[in-house]
């Protein structure tokens, strides 16, 4: 027995370098353990093939270029870690605020020029010392072979015995369907999210700005406005998972860190879409999520992809946004195009009733436009809070034009819901309680040909249950 163990030790110390390949396997097991229940089969298979191909190529190239197999394996392993676990490294640095604030690092102009050089320089320095060292590395090789096997086995055991915590809907009842409704009794429905649009009361309190021109214009058109509306959540995926299912979310954030893909699944398979399908609605998805039977209209969240943790995808999205900066930037250009596309879809002729979900990433960052729709200059010394207000005012003017167009051009009497998903999350020079309260404060307005839909201080999470109740009756 002792001889067998000694032989095994020699194999692991002198002959095998498992850790480059097993680092990729560790990533796969960890990613699938957390996400497999939210992935489609095609996504899971694609992820496995891409990651295995990458680690095999990285390992093979390092062996070809470096004669010492242990040195080659060490250099390849760190390279694989940087590529696959980039988002984990990024979050570890920004959460500890080791460099600068998270607000700055998440800006495309900062993150790529700070984080990428750090990880690449770290890898180059590591590579230099590994290649120069004359130490015998067999002991390290043995240790890393055993360690990576233990890590993979722990992940597999956790996958087998520890269930992935899932966010549940507090009210999981499907929306009731009235089969007696005639086609002409079904209104067109427009759901317009103005991301991060806070309430008029908050604008007056924190910005000293009177938003009555926008509100009065909506009231004149017949909108009902809830000046004290609050969201239950301060993050877009949580908000939309709640709004589109007309339910609060059941989760214990004191015990678990929930997976964002769980929220994406709740958004993709939402109760509202099931009701729309049952009533033969034509759905238009102009949002950042895969929903309502079609792919997302544009990219914003990096976790909305199977490679969202890797250096490849994170930087593809950010660099794509940066290099597509023809005039205002990818997201800002998309916002302007989105308003135009809403107007075009209003004019399209359908025999079916239509539902349009438009998610405008304004007045949310990036803060591109002032109140007149002109781009801010690089030399402007305004704070983000001041830029937010300018972009909010411009957003209001765009939204009002679109709403007027909907009311004038819609072939059916429409229902229009226009709201923020959450409030402004970056107040400074105030208490944490005030910051949290503002982050949940939203603008909320609804237009209905059926009379009042809202209750006093309506929670936006029940909007569509109330809307459907009116339509069914």
């Amino acid at each position: 027995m002792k001889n067998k163990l000694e032989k095994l030790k020699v194999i692991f110390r002198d002959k095998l370098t498992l850790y480059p390949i097993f680092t990729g396997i560790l990533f796969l097991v960890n990613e699938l353990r957390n996400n497999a229940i939210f992935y489609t089969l095609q996504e899971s298979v694609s992820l496995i093939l891409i990651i295995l191909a990458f680690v095999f190529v990285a390992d093979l190239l390092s062996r070809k270029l470096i004669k010492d197999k242990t040195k080659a394996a060490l250099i390849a392993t760190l390279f694989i870690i940087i590529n696959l676990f980039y988002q984990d490294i990024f979050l570890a640095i920004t959460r500890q605020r080791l460099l600068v604030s998270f607000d700055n690092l998440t800006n495309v102009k900062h993150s790529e020029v700070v984080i990428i050089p750090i990880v690449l320089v770290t890898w180059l320095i590591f590579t230099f010392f590994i290649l120069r060292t004359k130490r015998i590395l067999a002991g390290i090789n043995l240790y890393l072979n055993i360690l990576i096997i233990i890590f993979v086995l722990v992940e597999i055991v956790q996958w087998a015995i520890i269930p992935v915590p899932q966010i549940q809907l507090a009210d999981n009842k499907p929306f009731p369907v009235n089969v007696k409704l005639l086609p002409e009794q079904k209104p067109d429905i427009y759901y317009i999210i103005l991301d991060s649009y806070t309430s008029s009361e908050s604008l007056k309190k924190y910005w000293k700005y009177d938003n009555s021109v926008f509100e009065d214009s909506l009231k004149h058109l017949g909108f009902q406005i809830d000046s004290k509306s609050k969201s239950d959540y301060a993050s877009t995926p949580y908000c939309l998972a709640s709004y589109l299912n007309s339910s609060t979310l059941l989760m214990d954030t004191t015990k678990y860190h929930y997976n964002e893909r769980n929220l994406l699944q709740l958004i993709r398979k939402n109760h509202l879409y099931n009701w729309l399908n049952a009533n033969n609605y034509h759905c238009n998805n102009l949002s950042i999520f895969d929903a309502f039977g079609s792919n997302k209209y544009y990219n914003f969240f990096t976790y909305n992809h199977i490679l969202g943790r890797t250096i490849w995808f994170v930087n593809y999205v950010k660099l794509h946004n940066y290099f597509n900066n023809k005039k205002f930037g990818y997201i800002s250009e998309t916002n302007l195009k989105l308003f135009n596309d809403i107007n075009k879809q209003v004019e399209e002729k359908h025999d079916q009733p239509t539902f349009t979900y438009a998610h405008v990433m304004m007045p949310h960052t990036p803060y591109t436009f002032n109140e007149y729709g002109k781009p801010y200059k690089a030399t402007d010394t305004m704070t983000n809070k001041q830029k937010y207000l300018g972009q909010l005012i411009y957003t209001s003017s765009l939204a009002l034009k679109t709403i007027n167009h909907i009311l004038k051009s819609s072939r059916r009497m429409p229902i229009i819901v226009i709201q923020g998903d959450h409030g402004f999350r970056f107040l400074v020079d105030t208490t944490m309680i005030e910051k949290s309260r503002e982050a949940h404060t939203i603008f909320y307005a609804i237009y209905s040909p059926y009379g009042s839909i809202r209750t006093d201080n309506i929670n936006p999470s029940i909007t569509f249950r109330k809307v459907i109740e009116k339509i069914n009756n």
Side-chain angles (χ1 to χ4, degrees), residues 460-471:
S461 69
I462 65 171
T463 292
F464 284 109
R465 287 199 184 273
K466 291 291 183 181
V467 166
I468 287 168
E469 184 181 298
K470 279 287 185 182
I471 295 172

Side-chain angles (χ1 to χ4, degrees), residues 367-376 382 387 389-395:
Y367 302 127
T368 304
F369 303 109
N370 65 19
E371 61 266 40
Y372 307 109
K374 303 295 183 182
Y376 289 114
M382 301 169 68
K387 290 181 178 179
L389 178 60
Q391 185 151 284
L392 179 142
I393 296 169
Y394 182 54
T395 302

Side-chain angles (χ1 to χ4, degrees), residues 55 271 287 289 381 397:
V55 295
H271 285 326
S287 81
F289 301 108
T381 58
S397 66

Side-chain angles (χ1 to χ4, degrees), residues 129-181:
F129 279 106
I130 289 296
L131 292 175
R132 290 292 301 273
T133 186
K134 295 181 180 179
R135 290 181 58 188
I136 298 173
L137 301 174
I140 294 176
N141 190 61
L142 172 64
Y143 172 75
L144 291 179
N145 277 328
I146 295 171
L147 188 65
I148 194 66
I149 291 173
I150 292 172
F151 279 176
V152 171
L153 289 175
V154 167
E155 281 292 333
I156 292 172
V157 170
Q158 286 182 320
W159 192 356
I161 66 175
I162 302 175
V164 176
Q166 293 189 57
I167 300 169
Q168 305 291 336
L169 299 174
D171 184 355
N172 202 20
K173 296 190 298 291
F175 297 164
V177 176
N178 182 354
V179 295
K180 296 180 180 179
L181 276 180

